[in-house]
Amino acid sequence: MKILVIGGAGYIGSHVTREFLDQGYAVTVLDNLSFGTRRNLFDEAVFVHGDIRHPLQLREIMAEGFEGCVHLAALKAAGESMVKPETYAEMNLAGTTNILNAALSAGIPNVIFSSSAAIFGSPDYLPIDEEHPKHPENFYGFTKLEIERIMEWYDRLKGLKYASIRYFNAAGYDVEGRIQGLEMHPQNLLPVVMETAAGVREGMKIFGDDYPTRDGTCIRDYVHVSDLAAAHVSAFEYLVEKKESLAVNLGSETGVTVLEMIHRAREITGRTIPADAAGRRPGDPAELVASSGKARELLEWRPRWSDLDTLIDSTWQVYRKNFDLT
Ligand code: UFG
């Protein structure tokens, strides 16, 4: 079966591409390489350099015929989205509409969409299940929620089947070392910890140590990117088999504090990782933890690599290699 992976040269997209290839699918990757990198491409997959803001280009590619399209191409910096909503609207909202319209006209029946825990905003209760009220607190999260709603309408009106996969905190790298591309200027916790361990940064900041948590730092639910990738394939198979759309939360269901991450990273890497407490980062909820019961039930999804040590070690192996460290 043929799958189009849009955003397949990015950090999550390359892991999703790898998983579809491993499962025997024929994959075409479309990416504009603004955040993705050629290093994340695989010889077995066809690569098309293109942009979701160009509807004609999308139609041309999709006319080749695919059983499914995975859409991971988006801007994802929550803070930036509050300053540049128009850029986020153009890329995330208009870009996705282009994809959905092209899929409809090409007769692609199934779309797998990268959604985010950001659609929920600050939690009313924990763990966050699929029924949790959705009140995004940044424009990025709003774009993800709006796309989910557009897809609901397209399903109702046009029969397009979709799977919305709401990632919690994606982390880790392919444990076999087949993906080596680093994200440029990362802001997320684990890559920042790794850059500090590698000496690329002199030190890092802990954003807030006075939260009402066990050690005062924020709790997040880190889920291995290969576990996320496996869920994309299962979700596609679910759509093909059941012909019913679905939305699932994907997390490891385990909360880890910022300090726990840093301490364990020091032990695993054997490096100092200087980290100083700084003020809270605006918009950070104290705790976010997923309930992934629905994914476990409907997709038979079981995280295999989302324990803290594998998350840290698989990432460190990539940073170590990239920076020639022993
Ligand atoms: N943090 C630090 N120092 C840093 C970077 C992060 O202390 O240098 C802290 C943050 O304050 C937060 C935690 O580490 O408490 C995790 O922060 P991330 O930026 O890695 O992740 P977020 O939880 O803020 O957001 C991530 C994705 C979003 C997604 C969200 C869903 O970046 O796109 O998870 O849960 F929406």
Side-chain angles (χ1 to χ4, degrees), residues 19-86:
E19 183 67 21
F20 273 101
L21 289 169
D22 287 351
Q23 299 302 324
Y25 288 86
V27 181
T28 297
V29 167
L30 174 78
D31 203 295
N32 70 2
L33 298 179
S34 62
F35 289 95
T37 156
R38 285 185 188 274
R39 287 188 72 199
N40 284 342
L41 298 174
F42 303 101
D43 291 342
E44 309 99 286
V46 176
F47 173 63
V48 180
H49 192 191
D51 197 297
I52 62 173
R53 288 165 295 186
H54 300 144
L56 291 178
Q57 200 176 36
L58 286 172
R59 276 166 206 255
E60 216 171 274
I61 295 155
M62 289 193 188
E64 287 173 23
F66 295 91
E67 276 78 31
C69 164
V70 187
H71 170 30
L72 309 106
L75 298 173
K76 62 165 184 139
E80 184 190 53
S81 75
M82 299 297 275
V83 187
K84 298 180 182 169
E86 63 279 39

Side-chain angles (χ1 to χ4, degrees), residues 116-118 169 187-189 192 205-207 218 220 281 284:
S116 168
N169 290 59
Q187 309 279 321
N188 291 119
L189 180 62
V192 168
K205 289 179 178 159
I206 297 165
F207 295 136
C218 287
R220 291 290 180 274
R281 191 174 67 174
D284 270 347

Side-chain angles (χ1 to χ4, degrees), residues 10 21 53 62 107 117 122 132 136-137 150 158 161 172 184 192 226 243-244 259 263 271 277 289-290 293 304 306:
L21 289 169
R53 288 165 295 186
M62 289 193 188
S122 291
H132 187 286
E137 284 165 19
I150 292 170
K158 294 280 180 170
K161 297 300 166 208
M184 304 297 283
V192 168
S226 298
K243 299 190 169 38
E244 262 174 40
L259 274 176
H263 287 154
R271 310 196 55 109
V289 179
R304 289 177 62 193
S306 293

Side-chain angles (χ1 to χ4, degrees), residues 14 50 129 214 251 301:
S14 56
D129 58 18
R214 50 186 177 265
W301 181 73

Side-chain angles (χ1 to χ4, degrees), residues 99-113:
I99 289 173
L100 297 176
N101 290 351
L104 280 179
S105 68
I108 297 177
N110 304 301
V111 174
I112 317 287
F113 172 62

